[in-house]
Amino acid sequence: MCRWLAYSGSPLLLEELLYKPQHSLIDQSLHATLGPHTTNGDGFGVGWYAEGEAPALYKGTDPAWNDRNLRELSQHIRSGLIFAHVRASTGTPIQQSNCHPFRHGKWLWMHNGQIAEFPKLKRELVMAVDPSLYPHIEGSADSEVFFFLALTFGLEENPPRAVERAVAFIEKIARDFGVPHPMRMSVAVSNGETVWAFRYASIGTPPSLFFSTRVGTLREQFPEVPAFQALSDEARLIVSEPLGERVGAWNEVPESTCGVVRTGEDELRPFCPTAAA
Amino acid sequence: MCRWLAYSGSPLLLEELLYKPQHSLIDQSLHATLGPHTTNGDGFGVGWYAEGEAPALYKGTDPAWNDRNLRELSQHIRSGLIFAHVRASTGTPIQQSNCHPFRHGKWLWMHNGQIAEFPKLKRELVMAVDPSLYPHIEGSADSEVFFFLALTFGLEENPPRAVERAVAFIEKIARDFGVPHPMRMSVAVSNGETVWAFRYASIGTPPSLFFSTRVGTLREQFPEVPAFQALSDEARLIVSEPLGERVGAWNEVPESTCGVVRTGEDELRPFCPTAAA
Amino acid sequence: MCRWLAYSGSPLLLEELLYKPQHSLIDQSLHATLGPHTTNGDGFGVGWYAEGEAPALYKGTDPAWNDRNLRELSQHIRSGLIFAHVRASTGTPIQQSNCHPFRHGKWLWMHNGQIAEFPKLKRELVMAVDPSLYPHIEGSADSEVFFFLALTFGLEENPPRAVERAVAFIEKIARDFGVPHPMRMSVAVSNGETVWAFRYASIGTPPSLFFSTRVGTLREQFPEVPAFQALSDEARLIVSEPLGERVGAWNEVPESTCGVVRTGEDELRPFCPTAAA
Amino acid sequence: MCRWLAYSGSPLLLEELLYKPQHSLIDQSLHATLGPHTTNGDGFGVGWYAEGEAPALYKGTDPAWNDRNLRELSQHIRSGLIFAHVRASTGTPIQQSNCHPFRHGKWLWMHNGQIAEFPKLKRELVMAVDPSLYPHIEGSADSEVFFFLALTFGLEENPPRAVERAVAFIEKIARDFGVPHPMRMSVAVSNGETVWAFRYASIGTPPSLFFSTRVGTLREQFPEVPAFQALSDEARLIVSEPLGERVGAWNEVPESTCGVVRTGEDELRPFCPTAAA
């Protein structure tokens, strides 16, 4: 069911995050320990903010552990805001247009989870996407439709509210179609300055989600990643699954929570899907 | 803008059609002479009817001329009703779900052409697809949406009428959105017994389309294809572009025409898009 | 480190072997339980004997569990002698020319295992391949070089002796280069009539290998595979890892053993690598 | 038979060279006008020098015109020394390990052309590669073996002499095997500071090769490439096929010539394959 990683802080080479840590995201594509899938080999994607306002993307359908270009590029691409995702498909085809992160303008979006019985609900959900946004939907994945619903509900103005409204809408449509608890999600979204992360499920335990706070402990925990020694206190990692030992450097994001990472004070706030604007 | 081939007759190995003729479909993927594209290297697909009622598919995103598996399989797959297509994309991504033929139940569909300004019209067209059919749309190509509109308008009951109604609908929506002459098409569709081929454009010359009649001339024209010697008089080839010299063995399908190939008498009939059922 | 399967018996559709059993080879590509790798997602290949003398091949670099064409083709390809392999690379690139089975004329070859420190030994081993055979080496995998050494040492005349001589040669070269125990192998090779299977390691436990004997138990064990009900007593499966419960239907091939499956009596015989012809 | 481009000068984004010129390399992958192949869709590769001493590589097997990642990356990768190549295979498989440029340490190598009857000569040529270099050969292409012969004959000390000796050796072996005029080549090689380009054929006209000199004319010729306006006089392009009109900005490299591009004075010198060191 996918693994992802979001980084915000001083610029790093991609390889510091994707390859060097002991239980890196690339390692998790083959040996994930949390979640239902050991293997997340149905494609991958990396997005990063650097030149200009729109983020760059590199996505592929090969298992991440095999992509030599990714390894090569990771030694040359440096950024202070990075999204990376390895995919385990929940049914939709393996193709680049179904890989995360998804991009719209300056926004990047990643999702781990599922909209239950998506084929049954898809038409209603897609029809609710704003007609001006609809032509930008490229693939067939539930995660992408979820993104475009969030955009429709005002992601560019107020991301937490927009995602709450999108989830409320999905839950309502699902109820109409006899699917009682459709949503399992950990989501990351960014506009290049702030990162918002969400953890929620309609019922039961949502997919795992962790964030790093004590950068000092991060440096201790990862002697094999020299670049971590240079991290500022502003540096934050948000991950589906910790990149190493969980003690100290990783804090679980509570269920039904939205985390906000920005310059200055971060926050955790309740996440309550409702339809109200 | 794609090349395709439909064969109906006594069973042949795929390679007799795809590789052996001098200007075979694989040759056309690299050296097409009619149409705007010399190269049709944006993927390919083959469908064939054999075991059971539902046709089999083999589709790939590599250029057809490079796919070693296709060459290999062609030496082992035999069928009396074969659809084959090499793609030149008109804008949608290169992925298996955008390769032809498209399949629904026992139906196969191929299209050469384009719906002009498709991103502008897509939402209206897709919303008109019957809700029960909508979840079966896998890709993002105009050709696939066209197929599902034909299914919505009764393809399984009366293919020529269904395609006329679908084209009429597309032309109407296009007019509503300020796109005066949207449709260029040659189409092949089959249910495993009959093959229907269509040639039409809203304005101007539609994509090329030819059919073979005099099988005797087909045998003369292709000494390099021994299997053609064994063809019965029922054997028919319908092609975007002739597989060899045009004299005698190939007849152009007139514009605004539907051709019907079945056991017994074939026919050519006018193709008139109207909304009437 | 790969999983493979060889079948000899009355013709079956590929899907009966690749998909239908509970712990099928496709399942093993994602959830192997024996051997060091849970995941064998570095490509796959299928070879089968049908039309003509030379076997057909279908190979791909995608993880087997994702290849839709393989699933599709498996429903239409029928054969009485089938080789199938899912790959976990031991270092060489992921490309079709490094996928098994390898083919030369009417011979198919699959290998699970490794030649230790292959880069160090490769030049000596490759130079020992008969010059007339050398141009047929397509890839860079140790398994393929091993095959061509076996061909050089007379595979086409006496397969067990040829493989013994090839292994003895590899072990000698390895000793010369300071690599004491280079070989771990389970191998299957066939000429379309007989299947030879080998299990051996220079030291320690070789990769797992099992064969089916009591077809009656095979039928009991796989109620979900209707085609097994029709199997003759001649039917044999040789597998890296059992396709279901191990009780009764599966017998472990002893270490340092060559198994021979042919019409009439099968045999197990000692496998003793020596240089003698 | 491939098209390639080498750039040396002030840092540019890859897209300035690969996409923006009217008859860019990507355009040449689909519409080459010189050479025997209109289409060069059998893979591509880009190498560039930036961070550190070893150049970076991005290679793929898709047709260059379809690779969305290449287009994306080109907007973010900047370098003052760039090699780019689009491939038309002369027989060896389509796989990343057969795409150019080839890399060894800080050296990059691209080749347009062919060693005639390469399968017949391959073993002798490969055996002549220095044993310490042999394990670094990854693919099966003649171009790569040619590179490793040049390395064997002292590329790192004296590139022009090394390439002359390598060609002389290939011609000798070819004569021994009854292949009279084996070599057709345009080659580019670099160590990150200097670029050497070669144009030669054993007989007849070698593949085309051009270099730019008058940067002023380059600026006039490419108004659609704003970055060219900022080029220093040191900037040089060496190309299989001009990126636009040939008048003024492009000079043909004479046959049997080696061009050297470095800071300060460039030179053209005779290229005479002889075995002497």
Side-chain angles (χ1 to χ4, degrees):
Chain A
M1 210 182 277
C2 313
R3 305 280 78 177
W4 59 256
L5 160 170
Y7 169 77
S8 174
S10 43
L12 290 180
L13 283 176
L14 292 191
E15 71 165 348
E16 310 283 1
L17 294 172
L18 296 188
Y19 290 94
K20 286 199 171 169
Q22 197 184 30
H23 192 47
S24 68
L25 191 70
I26 299 302
D27 191 60
Q28 292 178 22
S29 67
L30 201 45
H31 304 116
T33 56
L34 309 179
H37 296 108
T38 309
T39 307
N40 296 274
D42 298 336
F44 66 90
V46 187
W48 68 96
Y49 292 84
E51 318 227 0
E53 193 180 79
L57 281 182
Y58 176 70
K59 308 208 284 196
T61 54
D62 290 332
W65 69 81
N66 273 339
D67 195 282
R68 297 182 65 176
N69 286 320
L70 180 62
R71 185 179 290 275
E72 185 83 22
L73 292 167
S74 293
Q75 298 167 5
H76 295 90
I77 292 170
R78 191 184 301 276
S79 172
L81 207 160
I82 297 167
F83 272 25
H85 181 279
V86 291
R87 188 176 183 229
S89 169
T90 51
T92 53
I94 311 306
Q95 53 197 27
Q96 272 189 33
S97 51
N98 282 349
C99 294
H100 318 211
F102 299 98
R103 174 182 60 190
H104 185 75
K106 63 182 181 178
W107 295 84
L108 286 182
W109 172 278
M110 300 190 290
H111 171 222
N112 168 211
Q114 188 175 7
I115 298 174
E117 298 203 46
F118 180 60
K120 190 188 274 195
L121 311 180
K122 182 178 180 183
R123 189 175 182 273
E124 287 295 317
L125 299 179
V126 169
M127 274 175 47
V129 170
D130 190 279
S132 68
L133 289 168
Y134 175 83
H136 297 279
I137 299 175
E138 275 206 20
S140 52
D142 53 353
S143 304
E144 189 188 24
V145 175
F146 184 14
F147 178 37
F148 278 85
L149 283 172
L151 284 164
T152 299
F153 284 110
L155 183 72
E156 292 175 298
E157 289 78 43
N158 185 337
R161 272 312 292 146
V163 180
E164 284 175 335
R165 293 177 64 196
V167 173
F169 177 75
I170 292 166
E171 288 182 328
K172 174 195 180 308
I173 294 299
R175 276 193 306 271
D176 293 348
F177 278 76
V179 181
H181 305 293
M183 182 56 78
R184 285 178 49 75
M185 61 182 258
S186 71
V187 165
V189 58
S190 181
N191 57 1
E193 291 173 19
T194 304
V195 179
W196 294 266
F198 302 84
R199 185 177 184 226
Y200 171 83
S202 305
I203 194 171
T205 311
S208 58
L209 193 61
F210 298 84
F211 63 95
S212 65
T213 45
R214 291 167 53 198
V215 172
T217 315
L218 208 63
R219 292 186 197 118
E220 284 168 34
Q221 284 262 335
F222 293 100
E224 72 275 20
V225 186
F228 281 8
Q229 304 309 315
L231 288 182
S232 69
D233 291 337
E234 286 291 337
R236 291 288 179 268
L237 274 164
I238 310 171
V239 293
S240 296
E241 187 166 319
L243 305 182
E245 290 300 320
R246 286 163 69 164
V247 176
W250 303 101
N251 302 277
E252 195 168 37
V253 174
E255 304 183 14
S256 302
T257 299
C258 166
V260 188
V261 172
R262 61 166 72 92
T263 310
E265 200 62 35
D266 298 339
E267 53 166 318
L268 287 175
R269 30 188 284 188
F271 177 78
C272 309
T274 64
Chain B
M1 209 182 276
C2 313
R3 304 280 79 179
W4 59 255
L5 160 170
Y7 169 78
S8 173
S10 42
L12 290 181
L13 283 176
L14 291 192
E15 71 164 351
E16 309 284 1
L17 294 172
L18 296 188
Y19 290 92
K20 287 198 172 171
Q22 197 185 30
H23 191 48
S24 69
L25 193 69
I26 299 301
D27 191 59
Q28 291 179 22
S29 69
L30 202 46
H31 305 115
T33 56
L34 309 179
H37 296 108
T38 309
T39 307
N40 296 275
D42 298 336
F44 65 89
V46 187
W48 68 95
Y49 292 85
E51 317 228 359
E53 193 179 80
L57 281 183
Y58 177 70
K59 309 210 283 197
T61 54
D62 290 331
W65 70 80
N66 272 338
D67 195 284
R68 296 182 67 175
N69 286 320
L70 179 63
R71 186 178 289 275
E72 187 82 24
L73 293 166
S74 294
Q75 298 166 7
H76 295 88
I77 293 171
R78 190 185 302 276
S79 172
L81 208 160
I82 297 166
F83 272 25
H85 182 279
V86 292
R87 187 175 184 229
S89 169
T90 51
T92 54
I94 311 305
Q95 52 197 29
Q96 274 190 33
S97 51
N98 283 348
C99 292
H100 317 212
F102 299 98
R103 173 181 62 188
H104 184 75
K106 62 182 181 179
W107 295 85
L108 287 181
W109 172 278
M110 299 188 293
H111 172 223
N112 168 212
Q114 188 176 8
I115 297 175
E117 299 204 44
F118 181 61
K120 189 188 276 195
L121 312 180
K122 184 179 179 183
R123 189 175 182 275
E124 287 294 319
L125 299 179
V126 169
M127 274 175 48
V129 170
D130 191 279
S132 68
L133 289 169
Y134 175 83
H136 297 279
I137 299 175
E138 276 206 19
S140 52
D142 52 354
S143 303
E144 189 186 24
V145 175
F146 184 12
F147 177 38
F148 278 85
L149 284 171
L151 284 164
T152 300
F153 284 110
L155 182 71
E156 291 174 300
E157 289 78 43
N158 185 338
R161 271 312 292 146
V163 179
E164 284 175 335
R165 292 177 64 195
V167 172
F169 178 76
I170 293 166
E171 289 181 328
K172 176 198 178 307
I173 294 300
R175 275 193 307 271
D176 293 348
F177 279 76
V179 181
H181 305 292
M183 183 57 79
R184 286 178 49 74
M185 62 181 257
S186 72
V187 165
V189 58
S190 181
N191 58 1
E193 292 174 18
T194 305
V195 179
W196 294 266
F198 302 83
R199 185 177 184 228
Y200 171 83
S202 306
I203 193 170
T205 311
S208 58
L209 192 61
F210 298 84
F211 64 95
S212 65
T213 46
R214 292 167 54 199
V215 171
T217 314
L218 208 65
R219 293 186 197 117
E220 283 169 35
Q221 284 263 334
F222 294 98
E224 73 273 20
V225 185
F228 281 8
Q229 303 310 315
L231 288 181
S232 69
D233 291 336
E234 284 291 336
R236 289 289 178 268
L237 274 164
I238 310 170
V239 294
S240 297
E241 186 166 320
L243 306 182
E245 291 298 320
R246 287 162 67 165
V247 176
W250 303 101
N251 303 278
E252 195 168 37
V253 174
E255 304 184 14
S256 302
T257 299
C258 167
V260 188
V261 171
R262 61 166 74 90
T263 311
E265 198 62 34
D266 298 337
E267 50 165 321
L268 287 175
R269 29 188 285 188
F271 178 77
C272 309
T274 64
Chain C
M1 211 184 274
C2 313
R3 304 279 80 178
W4 59 257
L5 159 170
Y7 169 78
S8 174
S10 42
L12 289 182
L13 284 176
L14 293 191
E15 71 165 350
E16 310 284 1
L17 294 172
L18 296 188
Y19 289 93
K20 286 197 172 171
Q22 197 184 29
H23 191 47
S24 69
L25 191 69
I26 299 302
D27 191 59
Q28 292 178 21
S29 68
L30 201 45
H31 304 117
T33 56
L34 309 179
H37 296 109
T38 310
T39 306
N40 296 274
D42 298 336
F44 66 90
V46 186
W48 68 95
Y49 291 84
E51 317 228 0
E53 192 180 80
L57 281 183
Y58 177 71
K59 307 209 282 197
T61 55
D62 291 333
W65 68 82
N66 273 338
D67 195 282
R68 297 182 65 176
N69 285 321
L70 180 62
R71 184 178 292 274
E72 186 82 24
L73 291 167
S74 294
Q75 298 167 5
H76 295 89
I77 292 170
R78 190 184 302 276
S79 172
L81 207 160
I82 297 167
F83 271 26
H85 183 279
V86 291
R87 188 176 184 230
S89 169
T90 51
T92 53
I94 311 306
Q95 53 198 29
Q96 273 190 34
S97 53
N98 282 348
C99 293
H100 317 210
F102 298 98
R103 172 182 62 189
H104 184 74
K106 62 182 181 180
W107 296 85
L108 285 181
W109 172 278
M110 299 189 293
H111 172 223
N112 169 212
Q114 189 175 7
I115 298 175
E117 299 204 45
F118 180 61
K120 190 188 276 196
L121 311 179
K122 183 178 179 183
R123 190 175 180 274
E124 287 295 317
L125 299 180
V126 169
M127 274 175 48
V129 170
D130 190 279
S132 68
L133 289 169
Y134 175 83
H136 297 279
I137 299 175
E138 276 207 18
S140 52
D142 52 353
S143 303
E144 189 187 23
V145 175
F146 184 13
F147 177 37
F148 278 86
L149 284 171
L151 284 165
T152 299
F153 284 109
L155 183 71
E156 292 174 299
E157 289 78 44
N158 186 338
R161 272 312 291 146
V163 179
E164 285 175 335
R165 292 176 64 195
V167 173
F169 178 75
I170 293 166
E171 288 181 328
K172 175 196 179 309
I173 294 300
R175 274 194 307 273
D176 293 349
F177 279 76
V179 182
H181 305 293
M183 182 56 78
R184 286 179 47 76
M185 61 181 259
S186 71
V187 165
V189 57
S190 180
N191 58 1
E193 290 173 20
T194 304
V195 179
W196 294 266
F198 302 84
R199 185 176 185 227
Y200 172 82
S202 306
I203 194 172
T205 311
S208 58
L209 193 61
F210 298 85
F211 63 95
S212 66
T213 44
R214 292 167 54 199
V215 172
T217 313
L218 208 65
R219 292 185 197 119
E220 283 168 34
Q221 285 262 335
F222 295 100
E224 72 274 20
V225 186
F228 281 7
Q229 304 310 315
L231 288 181
S232 69
D233 290 338
E234 286 290 337
R236 290 288 179 268
L237 273 164
I238 311 170
V239 293
S240 298
E241 185 166 320
L243 305 183
E245 290 300 321
R246 287 163 68 166
V247 175
W250 304 101
N251 302 278
E252 194 168 38
V253 174
E255 304 183 15
S256 302
T257 299
C258 166
V260 188
V261 172
R262 63 166 73 90
T263 310
E265 199 62 34
D266 299 337
E267 48 163 323
L268 287 175
R269 28 188 285 189
F271 178 78
C272 309
T274 64
Chain D
M1 209 184 276
C2 311
R3 307 278 79 178
W4 59 256
L5 161 170
Y7 169 78
S8 174
S10 43
L12 290 181
L13 284 176
L14 292 191
E15 71 164 348
E16 309 284 1
L17 294 172
L18 296 188
Y19 290 93
K20 287 197 172 171
Q22 197 185 28
H23 192 47
S24 69
L25 192 69
I26 299 303
D27 190 59
Q28 292 177 23
S29 68
L30 201 46
H31 305 115
T33 55
L34 309 179
H37 296 107
T38 309
T39 306
N40 296 275
D42 298 337
F44 65 90
V46 187
W48 68 95
Y49 291 84
E51 318 230 358
E53 194 179 80
L57 281 183
Y58 177 70
K59 308 210 282 196
T61 55
D62 290 332
W65 69 81
N66 271 339
D67 196 283
R68 296 182 67 174
N69 286 320
L70 180 63
R71 186 178 289 275
E72 187 83 23
L73 292 167
S74 293
Q75 297 167 6
H76 295 90
I77 293 170
R78 191 185 300 277
S79 171
L81 208 161
I82 297 166
F83 271 26
H85 182 278
V86 290
R87 187 175 185 230
S89 170
T90 51
T92 54
I94 311 306
Q95 52 198 30
Q96 273 190 33
S97 52
N98 282 349
C99 293
H100 317 212
F102 298 98
R103 174 181 61 189
H104 185 75
K106 62 182 182 179
W107 295 85
L108 286 182
W109 171 278
M110 300 189 291
H111 172 222
N112 168 211
Q114 188 174 9
I115 297 175
E117 299 203 45
F118 181 61
K120 189 188 276 195
L121 312 179
K122 185 179 179 184
R123 189 174 182 275
E124 287 295 317
L125 299 180
V126 169
M127 275 175 48
V129 170
D130 191 279
S132 68
L133 289 169
Y134 175 83
H136 297 279
I137 298 175
E138 277 206 16
S140 52
D142 52 353
S143 303
E144 189 187 24
V145 175
F146 183 14
F147 178 38
F148 277 86
L149 284 171
L151 285 164
T152 300
F153 284 110
L155 183 71
E156 291 174 300
E157 288 79 42
N158 186 337
R161 271 311 293 146
V163 179
E164 284 175 336
R165 291 177 64 195
V167 172
F169 177 76
I170 293 166
E171 288 181 329
K172 176 198 178 308
I173 294 300
R175 275 191 309 270
D176 293 348
F177 278 77
V179 181
H181 304 293
M183 182 57 77
R184 286 178 48 74
M185 63 181 257
S186 72
V187 165
V189 57
S190 181
N191 58 1
E193 291 174 18
T194 305
V195 179
W196 294 266
F198 302 84
R199 186 176 183 226
Y200 172 82
S202 306
I203 194 170
T205 310
S208 58
L209 193 60
F210 298 84
F211 63 96
S212 65
T213 46
R214 292 167 53 201
V215 171
T217 314
L218 207 65
R219 293 186 196 119
E220 282 168 35
Q221 283 263 335
F222 294 99
E224 73 274 20
V225 186
F228 281 8
Q229 304 311 313
L231 289 181
S232 69
D233 290 338
E234 285 291 337
R236 290 288 179 269
L237 274 164
I238 310 171
V239 293
S240 299
E241 185 166 319
L243 305 182
E245 290 298 321
R246 287 162 68 166
V247 176
W250 303 101
N251 303 278
E252 195 167 38
V253 174
E255 305 183 14
S256 301
T257 300
C258 166
V260 187
V261 172
R262 60 165 74 91
T263 311
E265 199 63 35
D266 299 337
E267 51 166 319
L268 286 174
R269 29 188 285 189
F271 177 78
C272 309
T274 63

